[in-house]
């Protein structure tokens, strides 16, 4: 079957999500089944408003430029489809003879693929709808990891390494630094900060993730213990830290707002923890909160992630023109000592709207650090090894005065 | 005169401050006047506590490694000398036959060089004390710019470029993003975010610096106007924003603490502004606050800054062994179309404890953006040009449904 292919980008940015778009376009250009290629402006919102960019004659230099571009070159959205959108969506798909619907996003976007596919099937319209995974959160089931995660993990590790070197240098003055990373309900990005540590005394000293409930009391106790031991403390925390009762660690966080999927917008836990450290422990504290830079910093992207993100885009087109629908592309890690992945397919029904937390095996018993198993898992995803820095912190001259 | 050279690093980190240490060591190794090279652990605190690392036989591979290391490889401090330290400082200098005192730091560190030099002269002890500029703040008088600034400016520009691409992509959902950068009293780093803009509609849309007083009312008015014009707003703010009466924009900022020079530790203005935007304008707002990463991120350092930072280290040793004392190394921009600098000397008395604000010619009349003159000034300092990204935001397909 031949027809129009539409491609859209949805949800939060990743550094590599336009590499996936480039992969989609490159494969579609080579496919005999694709008559026209349209990009949706701002994801499914673009489809509903019929805002399309014609990419049918994408020149090679545009493909190259997309591979250098972070975030969503087509624009993104956080629109959750409802049944009232069904008629309009089908009208637009039919009017443009769309037969291939490729949607690059996370678990919210998988819901979009699920809905569009269902509406097409119900109305007897022949459509192949494929989800392409993309999220720094790494919280999708059915895939070894998500495109976008490797780059965010690399960014977080570098934030801990460089921010940690700053903490070490000024340890006689600034006592505690709290690095806040993204992660609504899962700590995958925060956990990656552990890659910065080479020796026991290196930052980060503590890592807190939503998978392990935390109390303010325990946090203060563990920060004080680390300070007593190392002389300064570098802590990595996830924005979505939770108390044992499941509520956010600071229930009164005024910045919590709701997005289209009813999820609160987080951010700010580091500031509240820093205030707590200062007032309760009397230790000078600072916060680093790189925010959206951690998901959009192209200059620090993982080479492995860039390549895999391109590859899943190509795989999505191959799957669609081969007749698959309502599937998501997966990355499957090959067994063996050398890191390698193949692509696969999983039903969107099995991933849509679901979140994969860090497994127990990746977190230590105390719930304040990761395990070697996690480090082995994440290390290949960040591309080139992290740089190594010099520390000249140990006096070697005998005292004379 | 021959004797021991001591070198220390002081104040906040820069990405390139250990390049300056490498320059000092490289020049000292070549100098016939230096018998021994000692590094002070944690700056002047190391001298007072006689904590020295012997670097007399620094191998070439250590010099290379220092050039890859951000922040202070020797450790830094924020200790302000007082007259009660004079006797101890002189005892230590004399006990180790220190004749060359090289101190890498900002305007606080110039005070240290001033004091040590004065104490040596008063007691008739022959000492050559040289300050080497280092601060991301770029707020030292007498030098075209400070080593460390080019890298922080590059980081800030990339934070605006990448965070801005994220804002553009999600503009239908997240309305306002506030990027907070360092700058106690001066907006040099914040101003550099303007390098991210190519076209009028590009981020950043507004830039606020302490040199131009701001009211909450004016901020809200200008954000709303930018939102009405561009459909989303990316704002760069300096942590040290001030009201017309000279007080901090949010006087009640709970994170304000005092350092050894009596200066408040800032940070958090973006969070308070974001709350204001949400509550007063009803616009969804986010904050990016990269914190210490902006001054320590080696992977994003400016190639020009790395080279100049090494060079001022060498110049400091050359000046000291040539008999100079109580001087700071300067960078002087050569006239002409091609960017080039030479090094010079200025009396520390002329720079110590003083701050250089952004000149009027670098700020627009409204006080919410920079001028072309500033862009021309800063562009050569960040090294390689910023990357260019693709945006496919304009529909080109005619509507059919």
């Amino acid at each position: 079957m031949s027809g129009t292919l539409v491609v859209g980008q949805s949800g939060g940015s990743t550094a590599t999500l336009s590499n996936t778009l480039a992969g989609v376009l490159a494969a579609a250009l080579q496919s005999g089944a694709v008559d026209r290629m349209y990009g949706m402006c701002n994801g499914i919102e673009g489809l509903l408003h019929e805002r399309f960019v014609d990419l049918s004659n994408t020149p090679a230099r545009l493909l190259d430029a997309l591979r250098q571009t972070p975030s969503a070159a087509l624009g993104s959205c956080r629109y959750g489809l409802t049944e009232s959108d069904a008629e309009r969506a089908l009208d637009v798909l039919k009017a443009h003879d769309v037969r291939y619907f490729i949607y690059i996003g996370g678990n919210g976007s998988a819901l979009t693929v699920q809905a569009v596919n269902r509406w097409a099937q119900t109305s007897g319209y022949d459509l192949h709808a494929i989800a392409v995974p993309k999220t720094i959160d790494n919280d999708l089931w059915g895939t070894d990891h998500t495109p976008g995660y490797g780059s965010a993990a690399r960014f977080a590790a570098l934030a801990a390494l460089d921010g940690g070197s700053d903490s070490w240098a000024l340890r006689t003055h600034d006592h505690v630094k709290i690095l806040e990373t993204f992660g609504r309900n899962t700590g995958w990005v925060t956990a990656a900060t552990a890659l910065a540590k080479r020796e026991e005394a290196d930052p980060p000293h503590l890592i807190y993730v939503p998978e392990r409930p935390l109390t303010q009391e325990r946090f203060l106790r563990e920060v004080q213990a680390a300070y007593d031991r190392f002389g300064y403390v570098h802590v990595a925390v996830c924005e979505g830290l939770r108390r044992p009762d499941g509520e956010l660690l600071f229930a009164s966080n005024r910045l919590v707002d709701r997005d289209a999927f009813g999820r609160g917008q987080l951010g700010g836990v580091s500031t509240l923890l820093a205030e707590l450290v200062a007032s309760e422990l009397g230790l000078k504290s600072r916060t680093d909160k790189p925010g959206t830079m951690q998901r959009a910093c192209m200059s620090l992207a993982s080479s492995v992630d860039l390549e895999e993100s391109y590859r899943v885009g190509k795989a999505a087109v191959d799957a669609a023109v081969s007749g698959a629908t309502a599937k998501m592309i997966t990355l499957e890690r090959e067994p063996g000592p050398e890191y390698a992945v193949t692509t696969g397919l999983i039903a969107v029904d099995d991933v849509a709207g679901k979140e994969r937390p860090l497994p127990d095996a990746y977190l230590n018993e105390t719930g304040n650090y990761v395990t070697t198993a996690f480090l082995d898992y994440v290390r290949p995803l960040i591309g080139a090894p992290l740089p190594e820095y010099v520390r000249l912190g140990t006096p070697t001259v005998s005292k004379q005065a």
Side-chain angles (χ1 to χ4, degrees), chain A:
Chain A
M1 185 183 57
S2 77
T4 301
L5 176 146
V6 294
V7 55
Q9 298 171 297
S10 179
S13 289
T14 75
T16 63
L17 125 93
S18 289
N19 269 263
T20 302
L21 175 61
V24 168
L25 297 177
L29 280 168
Q30 288 175 353
S31 165
V34 175
D35 298 331
R36 282 166 303 278
M37 292 145 50
Y38 290 174
M40 310 176 210
C41 294
N42 297 102
I44 196 69
E45 290 179 347
L47 185 122
L48 294 175
H49 294 102
E50 227 180 328
R51 291 167 53 85
F52 295 122
V53 183
D54 191 342
L55 300 169
S56 305
N57 301 304
T58 305
R61 69 170 187 282
L62 176 57
L63 290 183
D64 289 344
L66 282 172
R67 300 201 68 179
Q68 314 297 323
T69 295
S71 191
L74 283 166
S76 185
C77 71
R78 287 196 189 275
Y79 185 80
L81 284 176
T82 63
E83 291 305 315
S84 65
D85 294 315
E87 191 179 336
R88 170 67 181 164
L90 280 172
D91 284 350
V92 174
L93 291 171
K94 290 174 183 172
H96 293 277
D97 190 31
V98 174
R99 299 296 174 174
Y100 305 107
F101 178 92
I102 311 286
Y103 210 53
I104 307 163
N107 45 29
S109 309
L111 292 167
T112 298
V113 171
Q114 205 177 27
V116 169
N117 180 71
R118 192 177 67 245
W119 295 339
Q121 291 201 335
T122 305
S123 77
Y125 180 70
D126 201 356
L127 180 75
H128 299 271
I130 301 290
V132 199
K134 171 278 330 170
T135 168
I136 66 160
D137 293 333
N138 204 39
D139 60 352
L140 292 179
W141 286 99
T143 184
D144 179 77
H145 57 279
T146 56
Y149 173 61
S151 295
R154 182 174 186 82
F155 188 97
L158 283 167
L161 182 69
D162 290 339
S165 84
D166 174 274
S167 287
W168 177 83
L170 267 175
R171 63 197 181 282
T172 62
H173 184 265
D174 290 341
H175 309 119
V176 178
K177 186 178 293 168
I178 304 176
L179 167 62
E180 175 176 335
T181 68
F182 280 148
R184 179 174 306 283
N185 296 315
T186 65
W188 291 97
V189 175
T190 319
T193 59
L195 289 165
K197 187 197 282 291
R198 283 176 212 282
E199 296 172 20
E200 182 63 17
D202 288 344
H205 301 114
L206 296 163
I207 295 176
Y208 295 104
V209 296
E211 285 86 346
R212 290 291 176 271
L214 184 65
T215 62
Q216 296 180 22
E217 295 69 28
R218 203 189 106 209
F219 177 82
L220 289 171
R221 202 164 57 236
E222 293 178 358
V223 166
Q224 182 68 58
Y227 181 75
D228 293 343
R229 183 164 172 209
F230 302 114
Y232 74 111
V233 193
H234 185 285
V235 189
V237 302
C238 183
E239 60 176 353
L241 290 183
R242 303 265 160 184
R243 306 187 309 211
D245 65 4
E247 293 298 309
L248 288 174
L249 186 59
F250 293 94
S252 66
N253 191 337
R254 291 156 296 177
L255 284 181
V256 173
D257 199 353
R258 298 281 153 192
D259 72 8
F261 299 100
R263 304 178 300 198
Q265 180 181 306
L266 306 176
V269 69
S270 57
T271 303
L272 300 167
L273 287 171
E275 289 177 2
L276 201 63
V277 165
S279 63
E280 298 300 313
L281 303 182
L283 294 175
K284 207 171 172 78
S285 59
R286 272 191 174 277
T287 62
D288 291 348
K289 179 178 165 286
T292 58
M293 205 182 176
Q294 74 194 281
R295 67 184 188 196
C297 185
M298 194 57 167
S299 306
L300 299 181
S302 154
S303 55
V304 168
D305 187 23
L306 288 164
E307 188 53 39
E308 290 178 352
S309 296
Y310 183 74
R311 200 166 152 194
V312 293
K314 294 189 97 163
V317 174
D318 293 345
V321 300
S322 302
T325 192
K327 304 285 187 193
M328 184 186 83
I329 306 297
T330 61
L331 289 169
E332 294 167 19
R333 196 182 296 221
E334 300 274 282
E338 289 293 304
Y339 173 77
V341 289
T342 53
T343 59
L345 290 174
I346 189 171
V348 287
D349 290 351
D350 293 340
V351 299
K354 298 177 186 166
E355 286 180 321
R356 177 180 68 156
L358 280 162
D360 288 346
Y362 287 177
L363 297 170
N364 72 358
E365 212 167 313
T366 318
N368 63 9
Y369 214 77
V370 301
T371 59
T372 307
F374 173 73
L375 290 168
D376 292 343
Y377 164 83
V378 74
R379 195 174 286 109
L381 309 184
I382 68 160
L386 297 183
E388 296 196 41
Y389 300 149
V390 180
R391 278 188 193 159
L392 303 168
T394 309
T396 57
V397 175
S398 52
K399 299 194 178 190
Q400 308 288 336

